Amino acid sequence: METIHTIDWMKQVSRYARAKEHVLGFVPTMGAIHEGHLSLVREARKRCSPVVVSIFVNPAQFGPTEDLAKYPRPFETDRAKLEELGVDYLFAPSVEEMYPKGFSSAVSVDGISDRLEGRSRAGHFRGVATIVLKLFEIVQPSFAYFGRKDAQQQAVIRRMARDLNLDAQIVTCPIVREADGLAMSSRNVYLSRDARRAATVLYRSLVALREQIEHDERNVARLLSAAKNAIASEPTVAVDYVEIVDAETFEPIVNLRGNCFAVLAAKIGGTRLIDNALIEQAAESFIVTL
Ligand code: AMP
């Protein structure tokens, strides 16, 4: 695996891959690599060569009171994990490389970016869309891999890719969970032992919601109260939102129809976690994937 720190060199590598008609696969990350990230790499390796992974903790997607400074950055451990999995290139630019003095452009994906995560984290998706577009220009992937863990993020990126005619095909991969159901996240390391135990209630609330759907409940308000009641059993968990939304637009819906996501965000002892379930319509029934 070659580690690349400059945009110029990364562009040369991607231009060469394009010229040779290689199928370049790309996995953008902020590092603190865990099994969730590695699942994206494995998926990319199935149909792409070379595979490029980026590690860049993007300041533009963090709010002023968020955890940018303390975000985990175990670079050498990350590099070893990626190398072991057969990644070809690790692109790890500095902040100055990506945002040189005078930088003043941004991409905003209106509508979808203003809801849920976007409302709780003002400017977040603008930061995400801008860095992903920059990375796509630099890496020029044929396929780019994202986790369904960040359901709204992948929807924002899909919207941007369609609106701006990007070449990259967006591939969304399943959520990788711990044995007790907690969705893997680089932020899980912040959780104290008690908070880590309480955090499993997020997964359990989605299980409760799935049970209701399996009992033919289709009314969103009643489905949400099943989920919220489950979370209320853990008094240390402060819910930010629990919603069921259209899978593409992230607009709220009243009764289940088509494909949607049950999405939630909550704070546990100062750590903000998100999770979701994919709800897909198949004829008269709905299939829920956690
Ligand atoms: P991050 O480093 O948190 O920005 O995540 C990089 C990519 O990994 C994003 O596309 C995430 O959605 C994805 N990802 C993070 N956690 C998981 C997980 N538990 N399962 C699947 N994908 C994940």
Side-chain angles (χ1 to χ4, degrees):
M1 186 178 78
E2 184 183 347
T3 303
I4 299 177
H5 294 290
T6 66
I7 293 170
D8 272 353
W9 186 236
M10 188 67 245
K11 278 198 166 192
Q12 289 215 34
V13 166
S14 2
R15 277 196 205 109
Y16 178 83
R18 279 239 152 170
K20 292 273 175 193
E21 296 189 4
H22 294 159
V23 179
L24 193 151
F26 178 43
V27 181
T29 83
M30 298 204 301
I33 299 295
H34 53 66
E35 274 302 315
H37 300 118
L38 297 179
S39 72
L40 306 185
V41 172
R42 286 193 195 95
E43 204 51 40
R45 292 249 303 151
K46 283 185 195 164
R47 77 169 148 191
C48 304
S49 176
V51 169
V52 179
V53 175
S54 64
I55 294 183
F56 182 65
V57 183
N58 174 31
Q61 70 189 70
F62 287 77
T65 61
E66 293 182 3
D67 55 343
L68 174 63
K70 72 163 184 175
Y71 198 84
R73 292 164 168 89
F75 189 71
E76 286 309 321
T77 323
D78 285 353
R79 178 146 68 178
K81 287 179 184 168
L82 297 172
E83 176 139 48
E84 196 186 316
L85 226 58
V87 169
D88 300 286
Y89 298 97
L90 168 58
F91 179 49
S94 65
V95 173
E96 297 71 35
E97 182 78 358
M98 293 302 269
Y99 297 111
K101 202 165 173 293
F103 185 94
S104 43
S105 304
V107 184
S108 57
V109 183
D110 294 343
I112 181 168
S113 294
D114 306 326
R115 296 185 264 283
L116 302 165
E117 280 305 281
R119 198 175 50 192
S120 299
R121 306 181 68 189
H124 173 66
F125 286 124
R126 193 177 149 97
V128 169
T130 304
I131 198 67
V132 170
L133 182 62
K134 276 173 70 72
L135 288 167
F136 280 11
E137 274 297 298
I138 296 163
V139 176
Q140 298 170 41
S142 303
F143 294 91
Y145 295 80
F146 293 86
R148 203 244 299 158
K149 159 83 192 328
D150 298 277
Q152 193 173 359
Q153 169 174 279
Q154 62 82 41
V156 167
I157 290 160
R158 281 175 181 277
R159 183 74 259 166
M160 172 177 78
R162 247 177 311 176
D163 289 352
L164 304 183
N165 312 102
L166 305 186
D167 279 336
Q169 294 252 15
I170 309 302
V171 183
T172 304
C173 302
I175 300 179
V176 179
R177 298 179 179 281
E178 302 286 356
D180 60 8
L182 179 68
M184 288 192 185
S185 163
S186 305
R187 292 190 164 95
N188 290 351
V189 297
Y190 301 152
L191 298 168
S192 68
R193 197 176 337 155
D194 283 348
R196 171 67 187 79
R197 188 195 45 73
T200 59
V201 80
L202 303 182
Y203 173 72
R204 285 183 276 121
S205 75
L206 295 171
V207 171
L209 191 140
R210 178 175 65 187
E211 277 166 11
Q212 293 298 307
I213 294 177
E214 284 167 358
H215 285 98
D216 292 328
E217 182 60 79
R218 299 288 178 259
N219 176 273
V220 165
R222 283 194 292 268
L223 287 169
L224 293 179
S225 56
K228 284 176 188 163
N229 288 342
I231 300 178
S233 69
E234 282 291 351
T236 57
V237 176
V239 173
D240 179 357
Y241 61 77
V242 187
E243 302 279 350
I244 296 180
V245 295
D246 178 88
E248 211 173 283
T249 63
F250 271 66
E251 280 178 16
I253 55 174
V254 175
N255 287 300
L256 290 190
R257 58 164 171 78
N259 295 340
C260 32
F261 287 112
V263 285
L264 60 81
K267 259 198 170 169
I268 306 173
T271 302
R272 191 167 179 285
L273 299 178
I274 58 172
D275 202 345
N276 70 81
L278 171 63
I279 305 168
E280 291 170 294
Q281 183 160 22
E284 290 304 294
S285 61
F286 287 87
I287 299 160
V288 182
T289 311
L290 299 183

